[in-house]
Amino acid sequence: MSPRNRALIFVTAWLIVLMPFLFWWNTWFGRRLPDKQITEYLQDEKHPRHIQHALIQLGERMSHHDAAAARWYPELVRLASNPVEEVRNTDAWVMGQGTPGPAFHETLLKMLQDPSPMVRGNAALSLTHLGDNSGRPHIVALLQPARITAPVAGSVTDTDKVGTSIHQGGLIAKLQVDPSAVVSQNGQRTVEIRSPISGRIRSLFVVPGSQVAAGAEVATVDPSDEQVWEALRALYLIGQPDDLPAIRPYQRELPEISDRVRQQALLTEKSIRDRANARP
């Protein structure tokens, strides 16, 4: 083999290794950002993942009571109205870390009206850290399966499978839109139905080739282990007896319920009962 060919093979192999590493390095939220880059990333509207990266780094600093993090508190308040759901979701979580900023409480209360159930849930959890229990109904809602409905009438062309783990925004099904509904979808003829939460597909009510009406239930998605655990931990502190029907299903010994969730559900019910019995 000629030296030129050997060099080409070496360069190609090096690029095969390097490119995935560079992609991982640039998208890994654990990569520490210097102060200047945090400021730049928080304002990078063209790259929502940059904003999320900076938010997560800022959340870590706040959880360690880094007083210097206060310089970015106005940015956290501003990002509460960001058009990207993932950014608002991360922002709501970060505002519950460490020492609260003076405007966080009011901002989180407004986020309880967010159209995203995940944003509302994270805002409610963060309010709990601030000593405000007004988001309790949204925390209880985090324990409930998500009902996925068809936004328009159409014909199902593809679906995922029952039991599949799915991330927030993951594809549940595709619809070929009825011609009469195209106007309402800005001319789109194919609509993707996605999950509003991470979790596992519990049930599907459609199959490829079936017709669905607008608003018809397409699927239900059980919440993820992490989401349930966080909700149970919050209800351990603020839960009421009315919340017990939503908690008890997670006390069952089922393969899809982890040991830590089951134990937390038992502890949460005990805490709620102890509080109720201690009241005069």
Side-chain angles (χ1 to χ4, degrees):
M1 185 181 297
S2 68
R4 179 175 179 275
N5 287 341
R6 283 200 298 269
L8 286 173
I9 292 174
F10 172 78
V11 170
T12 301
W14 183 72
L15 289 173
I16 289 173
V17 174
L18 179 63
M19 295 306 291
F21 171 78
L22 290 176
F23 176 80
W24 168 81
W25 179 252
N26 284 300
T27 57
W28 178 47
F29 288 160
R31 178 168 60 90
R32 185 170 179 81
L33 300 175
D35 289 0
K36 181 181 178 182
Q37 201 165 21
I38 287 180
T39 299
E40 292 173 353
Y41 273 24
L42 287 173
Q43 298 173 357
D44 190 355
E45 301 293 338
K46 294 183 178 180
H47 300 93
R49 285 187 63 84
H50 281 179
I51 299 176
Q52 285 183 276
H53 189 167
L55 285 172
I56 289 172
Q57 292 282 304
L58 187 52
E60 291 181 2
R61 294 191 183 196
M62 291 167 63
S63 67
H64 289 91
H65 307 288
D66 183 352
R71 61 184 285 195
W72 291 291
Y73 285 178
E75 287 295 303
L76 296 185
V77 173
R78 179 183 66 83
L79 290 169
S81 58
N82 190 276
V84 179
E85 178 184 343
E86 290 80 2
V87 170
R88 301 196 309 276
N89 194 29
T90 306
D91 190 43
W93 172 79
V94 169
M95 280 190 275
Q97 308 302 307
T99 303
F104 287 0
H105 185 246
E106 180 181 351
T107 302
L108 288 167
L109 285 173
K110 292 179 180 178
M111 295 180 86
L112 292 179
Q113 308 303 318
D114 194 276
S116 165
M118 294 305 299
V119 175
R120 296 195 299 268
N122 267 341
L125 290 172
S126 288
L127 282 169
T128 301
H129 297 159
L130 303 184
D132 186 335
N133 302 344
S134 59
R136 184 173 64 85
H138 297 288
I139 296 175
V140 175
L142 292 175
L143 301 175
Q144 306 293 341
R147 295 177 62 254
I148 316 299
T149 59
V152 294
S155 174
V156 179
T157 60
D158 191 19
T159 67
D160 210 326
K161 297 180 179 179
V162 171
T164 301
S165 295
I166 193 167
H167 291 292
Q168 182 183 4
L171 187 63
I172 297 286
K174 291 183 179 180
L175 289 182
Q176 186 74 25
V177 181
D178 284 349
S180 60
V182 169
V183 174
S184 65
Q185 287 295 312
N186 298 320
Q188 294 181 5
R189 296 190 176 276
T190 301
V191 172
E192 295 180 341
I193 301 176
R194 297 184 175 274
S195 175
I197 66 172
S198 295
R200 183 180 57 84
I201 300 176
R202 174 194 286 190
S203 53
L204 281 167
F205 305 107
V206 297
V207 295
S210 61
Q211 299 289 322
V212 295
E217 191 168 3
V218 172
T220 56
V221 176
D222 285 329
S224 67
D225 187 269
E226 188 67 26
Q227 177 176 317
V228 170
W229 188 64
E230 290 288 356
L232 290 172
R233 288 207 306 161
L235 292 175
Y236 178 90
L237 300 173
I238 67 169
Q240 300 295 323
D242 290 346
D243 305 332
L244 293 178
I247 294 169
R248 285 172 178 157
Y250 294 100
Q251 299 173 358
R252 301 170 184 166
E253 293 188 2
L254 297 174
E256 60 268 24
I257 300 176
S258 68
D259 287 340
R260 74 164 184 166
V261 163
R262 186 180 303 111
Q263 290 300 319
Q264 186 62 60
L266 293 168
L267 290 172
T268 298
E269 175 166 353
K270 182 178 184 303
S271 176
I272 290 173
R273 289 191 174 281
D274 288 346
R275 274 198 304 277
N277 292 333
R279 290 171 187 161

